[in-house]
Amino acid sequence: MCVRLAEDEVREGLAWESVPLEMLYAAEPWRTFRWYMGQKHYSGSYWSSTQSDHVIYESRLELARLLYADFDRDVTGIVAQPFLLRAEVDGALRRHIPDYLLATTAGPLVVDVKPRHRAARPEHAFTFAWTREAVEAKGWRYEVWSEPPDAELANVRFLAGYRRDWLFSWDLLEDERDEAVDKEPPPDRLFAPAVLDDVRDRVADGETLGETFACLPGRPAPLVRAAVLHLLWKQQWLTDLSVPLSARSMLRSAS
């Protein structure tokens, strides 16, 4: 196999059975971005709260998988295009670059992203089959990920707008604290750590999202909503994401 490390150092010919996992977690994306007029795929980078850094994607479906990985509390690391895997299969040399390597609490998970109608094509199914065999022989998990339910994806995408922990950090209020410890942030700021703490203490199981938004009548409504949605992203509270979020969505504690 081949791994691209920082500063474009490439390690080739590493035996799959003995490649250090730490090396893969530190790998740079194997491919470089290409943008050109009329290209059929959508490439970009997503700021991951898991990584506290940007992670690349090469399609809208890959971006969706990134959102799900970032939302998953069991995922502790995300690496895009982590390695080039080479193997002799049916008498021919095969090559494949998986889309993502996820570090999870259950161990490494190698992910390929492909729309369902394309994943079923014989050439893709063949590649995924021998890749799965290689990955699972190492004791890791492997998945081919396709389109998620529309409502669930819309909910996760919406909550991702509140994913950035640092926007709720007291460091943002350093200047204000120098003037007055309890000074309220400007009303147009959508994030406030003091409000986050108050909301966390105030909400109880069984309340609706609408009730939660109104739980601190003395605080600016945008700050309360932002705190509630950040805690939903952090999954300190849970709700049914299989249907569109609404004021009637019921909350329950994750504990």
Side-chain angles (χ1 to χ4, degrees):
M1 69 174 300
C2 303
V3 181
R4 189 183 304 279
L5 303 178
E7 299 180 356
D8 287 331
E9 176 188 355
V10 178
R11 298 285 297 274
E12 298 189 43
L14 298 174
W16 174 241
E17 296 78 10
S18 59
V19 62
L21 183 56
E22 294 75 14
M23 178 185 296
L24 298 182
Y25 285 155
E28 294 291 316
W30 184 260
R31 289 188 293 266
T32 57
F33 270 167
R34 293 168 293 170
W35 286 280
Y36 54 89
M37 183 70 70
Q39 74 177 30
K40 296 181 180 180
H41 62 279
Y42 184 98
S43 300
S45 59
Y46 166 81
W47 191 89
S48 163
S49 60
T50 302
Q51 291 293 107
S52 295
D53 201 354
H54 287 88
V55 181
I56 66 168
Y57 58 88
E58 291 187 315
S59 70
R60 296 291 292 182
L61 190 58
E62 287 189 15
L63 173 57
R65 186 63 184 92
L66 278 179
L67 288 168
Y68 273 72
D70 210 23
F71 186 57
D72 190 340
R73 297 302 97 194
D74 290 332
V75 173
T76 59
I78 305 171
V79 185
Q81 301 174 16
F83 51 80
L84 168 64
L85 185 61
R86 297 187 296 196
E88 185 174 328
V89 183
D90 292 346
L93 181 63
R94 314 289 180 175
R95 305 169 186 265
H96 180 58
I97 302 171
D99 293 313
Y100 295 106
L101 170 64
L102 306 182
T104 80
T105 55
L109 171 62
V110 177
V111 180
D112 274 311
V113 178
K114 193 71 68 176
R116 285 190 186 86
H117 72 279
R118 295 182 59 194
R121 293 177 183 173
E123 64 273 21
H124 296 311
F126 175 77
T127 297
F128 297 151
W130 70 257
T131 301
R132 178 184 298 277
E133 183 177 352
V135 170
E136 293 182 350
K138 199 172 175 62
W140 299 354
R141 292 178 297 143
Y142 176 75
E143 73 172 24
V144 178
W145 197 84
S146 299
E147 296 86 347
D150 290 342
E152 184 180 81
L153 175 58
N155 289 332
V156 173
R157 182 184 290 122
F158 172 72
L159 292 177
Y162 301 87
R163 67 188 180 276
R164 296 169 175 84
D165 288 331
W166 56 270
L167 287 174
F168 293 87
S169 170
W170 278 108
D171 293 342
L172 286 179
L173 301 183
E174 183 175 355
D175 293 339
E176 287 90 337
R177 290 205 313 273
D178 289 343
E179 298 175 10
V181 172
D182 295 325
K183 183 177 179 180
E184 186 71 49
D188 59 347
R189 176 178 285 166
L190 295 183
F191 307 95
V195 175
L196 185 69
D197 290 340
D198 289 346
V199 168
R200 185 185 289 111
D201 294 338
R202 189 67 62 91
V203 176
D205 278 0
E207 292 187 351
T208 66
L209 198 55
E211 291 170 337
T212 304
F213 286 161
C215 72
L216 296 174
R219 296 282 195 173
L223 300 180
V224 177
R225 285 197 299 270
V228 170
L229 295 171
H230 180 66
L231 292 173
L232 274 175
W233 169 263
K234 298 291 290 184
Q235 297 183 58
Q236 295 185 20
W237 296 327
L238 305 176
T239 192
D240 183 4
L241 296 181
S242 66
V243 296
L245 286 171
S246 72
R248 298 185 297 275
S249 296
M250 195 78 67
L251 302 184
R252 66 183 188 278
S253 173
S255 58

